[in-house]
Amino acid sequence: MNVPPDTSPALIWDDDDTPRSARFGDIYFSPEDGLAETRAVFFAGCGLPDGFVGRDHVCVAELGFGTGLNMAALLMLWRDHAAPGARLSLFSVEGFPLSRDEAARALSAWPELAPAAEALLAVWPAATPGLHRMDLPAFNATLDLAVGPVEQGLARWSGLADAWFLDGFSPATNPDMWSPEIMARVAALSRPGARLATFTVAGAVRRGLREAGFAVEKRPGHGRKRERLEAVRDGTPAPGPVPADIVILGAGIAGAALARAFAAQGRAVEVVEAEDAGAGASGFDAALVTPRLDVGDADLAAGFAQALERAGQLYDAIDGAVLARGVLQLPGRDRDLDRHAKVAEQPIWQDGHMNVLSAREVSGHIGETIDAPGLLMADARVVRPRAILSGWLPPRVIRAKVASIARDPQGWRLYDPDGGLVRRTACLILAGGAGTATLMPDLPLQPVRGQVEVAHGVTAPPPVAWGGYAVSTGDGLLFGATHDRDDTGTEVRGTDTARNRAMLAGRFPELAARLEEDALTSRAATRATTPDRLPWAGRLDEGLYILGGLGSRGFCLAPLLAEHIAAQVLERPSPLPAAMAGRFAPSRLRGTQS
């Protein structure tokens, strides 16, 4: 059994209620006035709030999240001084995260920070390793928190910071956070002209920063500390071009997730769709939100776990979107029994969120005798696609059939089947599922036809998947689905209804026996997959991007991958770890830039 590493900070509280890490023998902030220290060392050291002036986006990064004090104070500063509509991207690393209750106790010392503290505590992430995105809409901000060793956290992040707060525990007690290699990585993740501030003036830190390309100066310290450091990255700031307009082609889950991601960054988009929203594979009465279960590829498994976490956060915020939580995965083959146990042991899941159930427990959970154990995925969901699409798509979706696209000096042109110009745009994002193959025939997208059945008025068991699946629609049972590669037909087929009934009866004979054949309604649609069964999320060409090849995991993957594409387009930090961005980049299968 895998034993997760001990990431407890071993928190103790001094008599004056100052939190201290027994692991590092150091305090989290000055016992005299931690907030005043934050303002004097980090805000003054990085030239804030003056650095907000004239900016529609600012990125601030930090080493040592701790209690969240610096981020809470920065959110208040941003609220009071940022330009209307400007966005703030925050990034922080923490190897030994505090619990929500511990952070709440520490932050309660400053009532003036209550709005920001409450916003952070409301989205306080799990202590599982990896990147966690925290939405802070009241402040037009997001925070990406990397939980784990500092070198891993920096390697996962792909942003460029305008300012850095170096606030780890003392170099004497926590040298790993202050090594020359870490300083070099900080420099690589900084914009030209980025400013940096820290409380320490240790010689090794000064040398590491200078060698990494920072001009370093000592400044008068705060409180008991005589001196502090300020540093400036060499170079002159030069904001990159951002497209004047953005068009998304497709109004399924991929297009809707993209529209939401851009709206969260303060950018309006246009969505073009040939039919009604959700006319394709995103138009079923219910959809599973489940991860790919992988025990042989740690990065991929962690990427799907992160995608599931992010999708759940966003779907939970939509009224009526979540039909059920918790999905039981039954084994399809004997070897799945051992694989499920290994999946549940992975440290990427919160405690109790992946549980192997015995056959007896499975039977009790389902309400029908089952002779096999199963894996209960507590964070998986069943969602109502219509609620998600209506919640995320813009009020007006442009109805037009796009038959071809072409590059021009200003961007891209979209043409209808008769050759008429539908739209010009500086930035085009392809999110049309299987239909994307018509526009980009050189992309190796494979269509996969799937048909499902709905029995209205039939009580569904708790969500269950086994190769097929059976879930509730809210007022009935949805089950299926067929899986036919290279088949683009969307007509309902009686033979497929029979296949779905037989598949259900093979696992749940009692449930199948209750269904009346003439009471079933059927629907078929086509999904798209790629040769390696991983999605495409990224840049195809100048001003051209794709979110596609999602297969049967669209409702799990689309929210996180859409944020990644929005970050690429707008040149902002992505919540997707750098390693996973490469795994999903279209360039892995074509000679394109990602």
Side-chain angles (χ1 to χ4, degrees), residues 139 194 324 327 464 574:
F139 296 86
V327 176
V464 59
S574 170

Side-chain angles (χ1 to χ4, degrees), residues 122-156:
V123 292
W124 200 260
T128 51
L131 272 177
H132 301 269
R133 172 150 286 193
M134 302 159 66
D135 293 309
L136 303 159
F139 296 86
N140 284 342
T142 59
L143 169 60
D144 291 320
L145 178 63
V147 175
V150 62
E151 64 276 9
Q152 290 183 12
L154 293 175
R156 289 185 174 114

Side-chain angles (χ1 to χ4, degrees), residues 33-313:
D33 190 341
L35 178 56
E37 181 181 50
T38 290
R39 290 167 173 164
V41 174
F42 299 114
F43 295 175
C46 288
L48 304 176
D50 291 348
F52 301 157
V53 175
R55 303 286 301 276
D56 65 354
H57 175 254
V58 173
C59 179
V60 179
E62 173 188 54
L63 299 189
F65 182 64
T67 64
L69 171 59
N70 293 339
M71 295 291 101
L74 181 60
L75 287 170
M76 298 300 290
L77 192 73
W78 177 257
R79 185 195 68 174
D80 294 340
H81 296 278
R87 287 321 195 254
L88 176 65
S89 295
L90 303 176
F91 169 73
S92 191
V93 180
E94 181 55 60
F96 304 91
L98 274 66
S99 71
R100 182 191 181 281
D101 289 346
E102 290 168 337
R105 178 176 173 181
L107 293 173
S108 66
W110 296 283
E112 61 267 45
L113 299 182
E118 290 168 5
L120 285 172
L121 294 169
V123 292
W124 200 260
T128 51
L131 272 177
H132 301 269
R133 172 150 286 193
M134 302 159 66
D135 293 309
L136 303 159
F139 296 86
N140 284 342
T142 59
L143 169 60
D144 291 320
L145 178 63
V147 175
V150 62
E151 64 276 9
Q152 290 183 12
L154 293 175
R156 289 185 174 114
W157 192 56
S158 57
L160 290 174
D162 300 296
W164 281 92
F165 302 163
L166 302 193
D167 196 22
F169 290 120
S170 163
T173 62
N174 190 21
D176 290 347
M177 189 166 275
W178 305 90
S179 70
E181 293 78 14
I182 295 301
M183 297 302 104
R185 189 63 185 161
V186 165
L189 295 170
S190 300
R191 292 191 186 279
R195 297 184 63 167
L196 178 150
T198 183
F199 61 85
T200 183
V201 293
V205 175
R206 299 199 310 273
R207 288 191 296 274
L209 288 171
R210 289 193 181 104
E211 291 170 0
F214 286 92
V216 182
E217 292 187 31
K218 292 183 181 180
R219 299 291 188 189
H222 173 78
R224 300 178 184 179
K225 295 176 180 176
R226 295 175 52 200
E227 296 176 306
R228 58 183 175 86
L229 288 186
E230 292 183 12
V232 179
R233 182 78 167 93
D234 55 13
T236 302
V242 174
D245 65 333
I246 301 162
V247 171
I248 297 165
L249 194 52
I253 183 56
L258 284 161
R260 188 217 68 83
F262 279 102
Q265 292 294 331
R267 285 299 304 269
V269 298
E270 288 188 4
V271 177
V272 178
E273 168 60 53
E275 303 178 70
D276 293 331
S282 300
F284 293 103
D285 291 347
L288 281 170
V289 186
T290 57
R292 170 170 157 172
L293 303 177
D294 201 309
V295 294
D297 189 322
D299 284 341
L300 199 59
F304 272 88
Q306 182 190 1
L308 177 65
E309 177 185 69
R310 188 64 179 143
Q313 291 170 347

Side-chain angles (χ1 to χ4, degrees), residues 225-556:
K225 295 176 180 176
R226 295 175 52 200
E227 296 176 306
R228 58 183 175 86
L229 288 186
E230 292 183 12
V232 179
R233 182 78 167 93
D234 55 13
T236 302
V242 174
D245 65 333
I246 301 162
V247 171
I248 297 165
L249 194 52
I253 183 56
L258 284 161
R260 188 217 68 83
F262 279 102
Q265 292 294 331
R267 285 299 304 269
V269 298
E270 288 188 4
V271 177
V272 178
E273 168 60 53
E275 303 178 70
D276 293 331
S282 300
F284 293 103
D285 291 347
L288 281 170
V289 186
T290 57
R292 170 170 157 172
L293 303 177
D294 201 309
V295 294
D297 189 322
D299 284 341
L300 199 59
F304 272 88
Q306 182 190 1
L308 177 65
E309 177 185 69
R310 188 64 179 143
Q313 291 170 347
L314 295 173
Y315 294 151
D316 286 351
I318 303 173
D319 187 36
V322 178
L323 290 165
R325 289 179 176 81
V327 176
L328 179 67
Q329 179 71 52
L330 298 178
R333 295 162 293 188
D334 289 343
R335 67 183 184 184
D336 286 342
L337 302 178
D338 181 58
R339 191 168 69 92
H340 286 174
K342 291 179 179 178
V343 166
E345 292 173 359
Q346 292 172 306
I348 56 178
W349 315 109
Q350 295 185 59
D351 289 344
H353 285 233
M354 282 284 178
N355 295 293
V356 176
L357 304 185
S358 67
R360 181 177 180 180
E361 290 170 324
V362 166
S363 299
H365 180 79
I366 294 294
E368 182 170 335
T369 301
I370 304 294
D371 61 355
L375 180 67
L376 183 58
M377 304 178 287
D379 279 346
R381 289 166 174 78
V382 178
V383 295
R384 183 178 282 113
R386 285 190 299 274
I388 296 167
L389 300 188
S390 63
W392 286 356
L393 288 168
R396 177 175 175 264
V397 173
I398 298 171
R399 187 78 171 267
K401 183 173 179 57
V402 177
S404 63
I405 61 174
R407 179 90 178 268
D408 74 11
Q410 284 73 47
W412 292 86
R413 299 188 302 273
L414 287 64
Y415 295 101
D416 65 23
D418 298 322
L421 182 65
V422 174
R423 181 75 162 78
R424 273 195 175 94
T425 181
C427 178
L428 175 62
I429 308 174
L430 305 177
T436 300
T438 303
L439 302 175
M440 302 291 291
D442 57 333
L443 286 178
L445 277 172
Q446 182 181 42
V448 180
R449 180 187 185 276
Q451 180 174 312
V452 304
E453 321 300 326
V454 175
H456 299 283
V458 173
T459 301
V464 59
W466 67 95
Y469 58 92
V471 301
S472 173
T473 65
D475 62 359
L477 166 70
L478 182 149
F479 64 97
T482 59
H483 191 85
D484 298 313
R485 298 189 185 281
D486 298 315
D487 188 339
T488 59
T490 57
E491 74 283 2
V492 171
R493 300 171 185 171
T495 53
D496 285 354
T497 298
R499 288 166 60 191
N500 282 332
R501 287 179 63 91
M503 181 166 53
L504 183 68
R507 269 295 185 185
F508 303 101
E510 296 174 23
L511 176 61
R514 302 205 313 265
L515 305 182
E516 299 179 16
E517 188 165 356
D518 58 359
L520 298 179
T521 59
S522 307
R523 184 178 186 273
T526 306
R527 295 186 174 95
T529 64
T530 66
D532 62 1
R533 306 291 181 255
L534 294 179
W536 287 329
R539 184 177 182 268
L540 283 168
D541 201 344
E542 184 68 33
L544 181 66
Y545 298 79
I546 185 172
L547 177 53
L550 300 173
S552 61
R553 307 291 180 188
F555 281 87
C556 178

